[in-house]
Amino acid sequence: MEVITQATAEQAVKLVSCLIEDRVKVKPDAVLGLATGRTMERVYAQLAMSAVSFKECTTFNLDEYIGLPSNDTQSYRHYMWEHFFSKVDIDIQNTFVPDGQATDLQQAATDFENAIDTAGGIDTQLLGIGVAGHIGFNEPLSSIMSRTRDKCLTPKTREQNAAMFGGDANKVPKRALTMGVGTILQARELILLATGSAKADIVARAVEGPITSMVSASSIQLHPNCKVIVDEEAAGCLQGREYYDFVFANEPEWERYR
Ligand code: GLP
């Protein structure tokens, strides 16, 4: 794992979008794993301005609320359309978001996993982190080997996401269909982005704490190719900061991004 701290959220966002652009330049038909949440809005805004073409890309989103129609403005399908898919040249047929409206959720989860396999697996998976320590909607006690399935959201997560539901946590759906931790770990590369002081404690627990299903984001420590990109505020509780900065300043792979 590498932890890269940028001075501002804007720079952290810029670095993440540069990495994604570079992946697509090298492999125009890249399979991208996408995330939602407020942090990612700026990444999509940045990517939408880039000259890179997403025409041949396939995308898989981490998660979707259960029970919200896809045209509901709070659904992640709608979020993706609004922030990214409608702004770039991607073929909408090649964009996959778990089907939170399916009558048979187990079948929808299996279909989603099969679609990832058929696409050849995810090349680069973008991740945010929830204050409850989740990646996707893998709430505490999510098995590190879990696959796509439905999960019950924690009160903390519903509170965190209430802003998108008019500030009322009771309006946030109680369940979601999410890629499993095991599904996420199968991607060939992980890029986790976190910004702001509210994420400082959970970022440190994910990066430096024990690997535990209580903090599903800590499972990224098991991944052989994982980058964590944070701003100064989100890096606030990291113990090993000096070394992480040294790596970023000296590793040849980061030369063009410094
Ligand atoms: C939601 C998503 C997560 C995302 C998290 C972060 O809960 N299911 O995938 O990581 O939001 O949200 P924000 O960026 O708004 O802090």
Tab-separated table of all heavy atoms in Angstrom, residues 36-40 62-63 76 128-130 134 136-137 157 160-161 199, ligand 1:
chain	number	residue	atom	x	y	z
A	36	THR	N	-19.465	6.138	-5.304
A	36	THR	CA	-20.318	7.326	-5.221
A	36	THR	C	-19.962	8.100	-3.937
A	36	THR	O	-18.929	7.860	-3.347
A	36	THR	CB	-21.809	6.927	-5.234
A	36	THR	OG1	-21.982	5.921	-4.239
A	36	THR	CG2	-22.238	6.414	-6.595
A	37	GLY	N	-20.816	9.015	-3.535
A	37	GLY	CA	-20.542	9.827	-2.344
A	37	GLY	C	-20.073	11.216	-2.770
A	37	GLY	O	-19.692	11.434	-3.915
A	38	ARG	N	-20.094	12.119	-1.815
A	38	ARG	CA	-19.746	13.518	-2.130
A	38	ARG	C	-18.302	13.690	-2.546
A	38	ARG	O	-17.975	14.496	-3.413
A	38	ARG	CB	-20.055	14.413	-0.921
A	38	ARG	CG	-21.520	14.791	-0.853
A	38	ARG	CD	-21.962	15.093	0.534
A	38	ARG	NE	-21.862	13.899	1.390
A	38	ARG	CZ	-22.171	13.865	2.674
A	38	ARG	NH1	-22.564	14.955	3.274
A	38	ARG	NH2	-22.089	12.747	3.368
A	39	THR	N	-17.406	12.899	-1.934
A	39	THR	CA	-15.984	13.010	-2.268
A	39	THR	C	-15.755	12.783	-3.768
A	39	THR	O	-14.934	13.452	-4.381
A	39	THR	CB	-15.184	11.944	-1.466
A	39	THR	OG1	-15.646	11.964	-0.123
A	39	THR	CG2	-13.708	12.208	-1.507
A	40	MET	N	-16.492	11.826	-4.314
A	40	MET	CA	-16.257	11.439	-5.711
A	40	MET	C	-16.837	12.426	-6.711
A	40	MET	O	-16.447	12.422	-7.878
A	40	MET	CB	-16.838	10.049	-5.989
A	40	MET	CG	-16.173	8.954	-5.217
A	40	MET	SD	-14.389	8.867	-5.591
A	40	MET	CE	-13.827	7.983	-4.138
A	62	LEU	N	-19.913	0.230	-7.103
A	62	LEU	CA	-19.822	-0.547	-5.874
A	62	LEU	C	-21.169	-0.962	-5.313
A	62	LEU	O	-21.326	-2.060	-4.787
A	62	LEU	CB	-19.134	0.295	-4.794
A	62	LEU	CG	-17.629	0.463	-4.886
A	62	LEU	CD1	-17.174	1.572	-3.944
A	62	LEU	CD2	-16.934	-0.841	-4.523
A	63	ASP	N	-22.151	-0.049	-5.389
A	63	ASP	CA	-23.354	-0.309	-4.591
A	63	ASP	C	-24.563	0.476	-5.077
A	63	ASP	O	-24.445	1.386	-5.900
A	63	ASP	CB	-23.076	0.012	-3.109
A	63	ASP	CG	-22.350	1.350	-2.914
A	63	ASP	OD1	-22.368	2.179	-3.834
A	63	ASP	OD2	-21.773	1.552	-1.833
A	76	TYR	N	-28.057	5.675	-6.802
A	76	TYR	CA	-26.683	5.804	-7.288
A	76	TYR	C	-26.637	5.717	-8.815
A	76	TYR	O	-25.734	6.263	-9.435
A	76	TYR	CB	-25.787	4.764	-6.623
A	76	TYR	CG	-25.441	5.134	-5.189
A	76	TYR	CD1	-24.950	4.187	-4.300
A	76	TYR	CD2	-25.585	6.448	-4.722
A	76	TYR	CE1	-24.612	4.522	-2.990
A	76	TYR	CE2	-25.262	6.799	-3.418
A	76	TYR	CZ	-24.777	5.831	-2.560
A	76	TYR	OH	-24.444	6.173	-1.264
A	128	GLY	N	-14.258	5.134	-1.910
A	128	GLY	CA	-14.346	6.159	-0.879
A	128	GLY	C	-14.329	5.411	0.447
A	128	GLY	O	-14.159	4.185	0.483
A	129	ILE	N	-14.519	6.106	1.523
A	129	ILE	CA	-14.612	5.429	2.824
A	129	ILE	C	-15.705	6.108	3.641
A	129	ILE	O	-15.792	7.337	3.669
A	129	ILE	CB	-13.242	5.421	3.565
A	129	ILE	CG1	-13.323	4.633	4.877
A	129	ILE	CG2	-12.720	6.833	3.803
A	129	ILE	CD1	-11.967	4.360	5.517
A	130	GLY	N	-16.541	5.278	4.248
A	130	GLY	CA	-17.605	5.828	5.086
A	130	GLY	C	-17.096	6.020	6.510
A	130	GLY	O	-16.114	5.384	6.911
A	134	HIS	N	-16.777	1.690	6.165
A	134	HIS	CA	-17.124	0.845	5.034
A	134	HIS	C	-16.443	1.245	3.737
A	134	HIS	O	-16.101	2.399	3.530
A	134	HIS	CB	-18.648	0.766	4.829
A	134	HIS	CG	-19.305	2.036	4.386
A	134	HIS	ND1	-20.590	2.356	4.764
A	134	HIS	CD2	-18.896	3.047	3.593
A	134	HIS	CE1	-20.915	3.516	4.208
A	134	HIS	NE2	-19.913	3.955	3.495
A	136	GLY	N	-17.681	0.533	-0.276
A	136	GLY	CA	-18.990	0.161	-0.808
A	136	GLY	C	-19.965	0.377	0.343
A	136	GLY	O	-19.885	1.385	1.052
A	137	PHE	N	-20.854	-0.577	0.539
A	137	PHE	CA	-21.716	-0.520	1.723
A	137	PHE	C	-21.432	-1.733	2.613
A	137	PHE	O	-22.333	-2.338	3.182
A	137	PHE	CB	-23.193	-0.469	1.328
A	137	PHE	CG	-23.749	0.942	1.191
A	137	PHE	CD1	-24.509	1.287	0.083
A	137	PHE	CD2	-23.536	1.908	2.166
A	137	PHE	CE1	-25.042	2.572	-0.055
A	137	PHE	CE2	-24.058	3.195	2.041
A	137	PHE	CZ	-24.812	3.526	0.926
A	157	THR	N	-24.105	5.265	9.116
A	157	THR	CA	-24.059	5.470	7.659
A	157	THR	C	-25.293	6.224	7.198
A	157	THR	O	-25.210	7.129	6.361
A	157	THR	CB	-23.979	4.093	6.943
A	157	THR	OG1	-22.746	3.480	7.299
A	157	THR	CG2	-24.061	4.240	5.443
A	160	GLN	N	-24.749	9.704	8.034
A	160	GLN	CA	-23.750	10.329	7.139
A	160	GLN	C	-24.369	10.694	5.784
A	160	GLN	O	-24.045	11.720	5.191
A	160	GLN	CB	-22.571	9.374	6.935
A	160	GLN	CG	-21.438	10.001	6.110
A	160	GLN	CD	-20.443	8.986	5.560
A	160	GLN	OE1	-20.329	7.872	6.031
A	160	GLN	NE2	-19.717	9.382	4.535
A	161	ASN	N	-25.244	9.834	5.296
A	161	ASN	CA	-25.805	10.053	3.958
A	161	ASN	C	-27.122	10.834	3.982
A	161	ASN	O	-27.720	11.069	2.938
A	161	ASN	CB	-25.969	8.710	3.239
A	161	ASN	CG	-24.609	8.108	2.885
A	161	ASN	OD1	-23.577	8.753	3.077
A	161	ASN	ND2	-24.601	6.897	2.382
A	199	LYS	N	-12.823	12.357	8.163
A	199	LYS	CA	-12.359	11.018	7.763
A	199	LYS	C	-11.017	10.643	8.397
A	199	LYS	O	-10.535	9.526	8.202
A	199	LYS	CB	-12.223	10.955	6.227
A	199	LYS	CG	-13.519	11.196	5.445
A	199	LYS	CD	-14.427	9.996	5.479
A	199	LYS	CE	-15.777	10.238	4.847
A	199	LYS	NZ	-15.768	10.315	3.407
B	1	GLP	C1	-21.506	6.042	0.539
B	1	GLP	C2	-21.033	4.996	-0.436
B	1	GLP	C3	-19.592	4.633	-0.208
B	1	GLP	C4	-18.754	5.890	-0.084
B	1	GLP	C5	-19.258	6.742	1.033
B	1	GLP	C6	-18.432	8.005	1.247
B	1	GLP	O1	-21.802	5.526	1.787
B	1	GLP	N1	-21.801	3.797	-0.365
B	1	GLP	O2	-19.125	3.845	-1.286
B	1	GLP	O3	-17.428	5.524	0.164
B	1	GLP	O4	-20.578	7.095	0.674
B	1	GLP	O5	-19.237	9.136	1.168
B	1	GLP	P1	-18.755	10.629	1.147
B	1	GLP	O6	-17.785	10.751	0.023
B	1	GLP	O7	-20.000	11.391	0.889
B	1	GLP	O8	-18.136	10.889	2.455
